[in-house]
Amino acid sequence: MAALILGILETAALAISGLLVKKYVFLEPDMEPKKHRIFWTIGFLISVGAYIAFGKDAASVAVLVLIGLSICLSRKKYRLPGILLMIPFMGIVNGLIIPAMFVPPYLLSFSEAGIIVYQFSIYGTFAVLLVLFYFKGRKWRAWFDENMKNRSLRLSEQILLWIVGIVMMLFSNTGVMNMEIVSYNGDAQSAGKYGPEVLSFIGIGSMAAFIMTVTIIVLIMQGNKRSFYHERLSGMQSGMITFMAEVVENRDDNTGGHIRRTAKYVEVIAKELKKKGVYSDILTDRYVEDMIIAAPLHDIGKIHIPDAVLNKPAKLTDEEFEIMKTHTSAGEELLFHAKDELGESEYLNMAAEMAAFHHEKWNGKGYPYGKSGEEIPLCARIMAVADVFDALTSKRCYKEAMPLEKAYDIIREGSGSHFDPAVVEAFFAAADEIGQMTKAE
């Protein structure tokens, strides 16, 4: 009877540990609460049935299959690859429980009765910790659910967990799970195929792997927390610098709302390029996100332009135009200075590129550096189209807003000379959406 109860407790411990590791270490989402409860109630009953009918190995496999299925059902995309997570899970989950359950009794030569008492005490301790986590950890869980729901493990962390899972599988599944602890003349013996010396090595190695796994799990969870606070700080820095851009824009009576509109156009064009698979080696999700954040800063260099030039209600003279052109290099310098003060930032790097190069032309006849073609950073080539289109369709003190069709003609004519043809193509693929945005303003 005791063996049956211990087996059911072990199955429950594997399932609960797996759910905790899945959510809080692998950062995999849960199903909807109602579906989650139904799925795991039925799944646990199946696992217990597998234990009664076929033994603990079958129960362990059933639990791991259930974890894999829950990952697939919880994900919104890349569902099938979630099944592969059962490979490191098998090592990590079993490796967390099996060494703690079987290695100390083996190394300390517990009697059969002592082993049963020890295992019940371990499960009792586990239950107490779960209760404490449920009642005392509500605030932490709420924080985790809110701030980690859109996060995923970095590639280096995924590789590390796979390595740890395989190591734990090697020690725990191959060795410790084959240990059957018996008492014989006061010495622990193995009823399996391994001799005492090999089992001692496996036991000590399993405990070392167990400690290593717990350490890595704690480090990854702490790393996620540090990453959250770093991103929040970066967001505050981004907000402050964007506020600076709005202050600069408010000096310019001609361009009210310009930074908001161009940022929207940049987002639409970038996403259209990504959808078409153009520049796929550059347009990662992170690149697009950074570009959207950086877009409002493209004209920040205008803070150095005198009001008499910036707000002149007529065409600029050649001399005045040369002054106006300096806002590009001035913006680049300002943003590099901001990066020096605030630290390395991809979006600040991109903002500097957009500020410096958004008046460069595909044919090399732009300013300030005369770059051409793909020498011009992609973010600046996208901004060039957004910037010119907004200038054409916006009312200024020295001109009326140009009709959409005429503005479209100018953008189309500039393809291959002023603008990157691929960017222009993406612009027109999203022309309906951009036109709606323009009319809304």
Side-chain angles (χ1 to χ4, degrees):
M1 186 64 180
L4 177 62
I5 295 173
L6 284 171
I8 294 173
L9 289 174
E10 181 180 336
T11 302
L14 285 172
I16 295 170
S17 299
L19 284 172
L20 294 174
V21 170
K22 176 180 84 77
K23 181 173 183 178
Y24 296 112
V25 179
F26 282 81
L27 302 182
E28 291 289 338
D30 286 332
M31 289 181 278
E32 295 176 6
K34 185 177 180 180
K35 292 181 180 179
H36 183 79
R37 287 192 296 270
I38 294 172
F39 178 86
W40 277 102
T41 298
I42 296 172
F44 180 68
L45 292 175
I46 292 172
S47 299
V48 171
Y51 174 80
I52 294 172
F54 304 106
K56 65 181 180 181
D57 288 345
S60 297
V61 171
V63 169
L64 291 167
V65 169
L66 288 169
I67 291 172
L69 288 175
S70 72
I71 292 173
C72 293
L73 294 173
S74 302
R75 287 183 170 188
K76 294 182 180 179
K77 58 181 181 179
Y78 307 121
R79 290 185 168 185
L80 290 179
I83 295 177
L84 296 177
L85 287 179
M86 288 191 299
I87 298 173
F89 255 103
M90 187 178 295
I92 290 173
V93 176
N94 274 325
L96 288 173
I97 295 176
I98 302 301
M101 295 301 300
F102 293 106
V103 176
Y106 173 78
L107 295 178
L108 298 175
S109 301
F110 283 8
S111 65
E112 187 173 355
I115 292 170
I116 293 173
V117 171
Y118 171 80
Q119 291 182 346
F120 271 113
S121 68
I122 289 292
Y123 288 128
T125 302
F126 183 61
V128 169
L129 291 174
L130 282 176
V131 170
L132 289 174
F133 177 71
Y134 180 79
F135 287 105
K136 298 291 186 180
R138 286 177 176 172
K139 186 176 180 180
W140 182 85
R141 293 199 307 274
W143 176 89
F144 187 94
D145 291 340
E146 176 64 25
N147 297 299
M148 297 293 173
K149 60 185 176 183
N150 295 320
R151 295 174 181 273
S152 58
L153 291 178
R154 293 185 289 271
L155 179 60
S156 59
E157 292 172 332
Q158 293 178 30
I159 292 172
L160 187 60
L161 284 173
W162 272 76
I163 292 172
V164 169
I166 292 171
V167 170
M168 293 295 281
M169 191 186 305
L170 173 67
F171 282 110
S172 300
N173 292 4
T174 304
V176 181
M177 290 183 70
N178 283 301
M179 285 185 181
E180 294 180 10
I181 310 302
V182 295
S183 178
Y184 181 75
N185 294 331
D187 294 323
Q189 301 290 331
S190 169
K193 61 182 179 181
Y194 300 105
E197 296 82 5
V198 175
L199 282 174
S200 295
F201 168 76
I202 292 174
I204 295 170
S206 294
M207 291 305 293
F210 171 83
I211 294 169
M212 179 180 69
T213 302
V214 172
T215 302
I216 288 171
I217 286 173
V218 170
L219 289 174
I220 287 175
M221 294 182 73
Q222 287 298 314
N224 287 330
K225 191 173 182 179
R226 287 194 300 271
S227 176
F228 162 73
Y229 285 116
H230 174 74
E231 287 184 13
R232 189 165 73 171
L233 179 61
S234 296
M236 291 172 62
Q237 294 172 348
S238 169
M240 289 298 295
I241 295 177
T242 303
F243 173 73
M244 289 169 53
E246 290 177 347
V247 170
V248 173
E249 183 189 30
N250 288 335
R251 289 186 61 239
D252 188 349
D253 295 335
N254 295 326
T255 57
H258 175 68
I259 64 170
R260 293 195 312 275
R261 291 191 299 271
T262 51
K264 290 178 182 177
Y265 300 154
V266 162
E267 179 177 1
V268 171
I269 295 169
K271 289 182 176 178
E272 186 65 35
L273 283 167
K274 187 170 173 53
K275 185 169 71 175
K276 290 178 174 293
V278 182
Y279 298 124
S280 57
D281 56 328
I282 301 174
L283 282 174
T284 61
D285 290 339
R286 182 59 184 270
Y287 188 94
V288 173
E289 289 172 9
D290 287 338
M291 184 163 38
I292 294 167
I293 296 171
L297 305 178
H298 72 281
D299 273 340
I300 197 170
K302 286 184 177 179
I303 197 170
H304 285 300
I305 305 301
D307 287 342
V309 175
L310 191 63
N311 294 318
K312 183 178 179 180
K315 185 177 179 180
L316 299 177
T317 66
D318 290 344
E319 183 180 356
E320 289 168 337
F321 184 59
E322 289 301 317
I323 295 173
M324 180 63 80
K325 286 164 64 174
T326 63
H327 81 276
T328 53
S329 52
E332 180 183 30
E333 186 177 346
L334 271 173
L335 289 163
F336 276 136
H337 179 69
K339 189 178 71 169
D340 290 340
E341 292 294 323
L342 299 174
E344 185 65 30
S345 168
E346 287 301 320
Y347 100 86
L348 281 178
N349 288 333
M350 193 173 298
E353 290 179 342
M354 295 174 89
F357 304 121
H358 69 281
H359 283 293
E360 299 286 2
K361 294 184 178 181
W362 186 255
N363 61 11
K365 296 181 179 180
Y367 63 87
Y369 302 116
K371 288 183 174 292
S372 63
E374 294 189 10
E375 289 180 335
I376 307 166
L378 177 59
C379 57
R381 304 201 303 268
I382 294 173
M383 175 53 76
V385 174
D387 189 51
V388 170
F389 177 73
D390 187 69
L392 293 172
T393 55
S394 300
K395 182 179 179 180
R396 302 290 170 86
C397 62
Y398 55 88
K399 75 173 188 69
E400 292 297 320
M402 184 179 291
L404 275 178
E405 289 306 319
K406 188 173 180 181
Y408 287 155
D409 288 342
I410 292 173
I411 296 295
R412 190 177 289 108
E413 290 168 5
S415 179
S417 56
H418 190 155
F419 308 118
D420 179 345
V423 175
V424 172
E425 185 178 343
F427 172 86
F428 281 107
D432 289 343
E433 184 177 357
I434 290 173
Q436 290 299 320
M437 290 179 180
T438 306
K439 292 174 184 176
E441 291 287 339

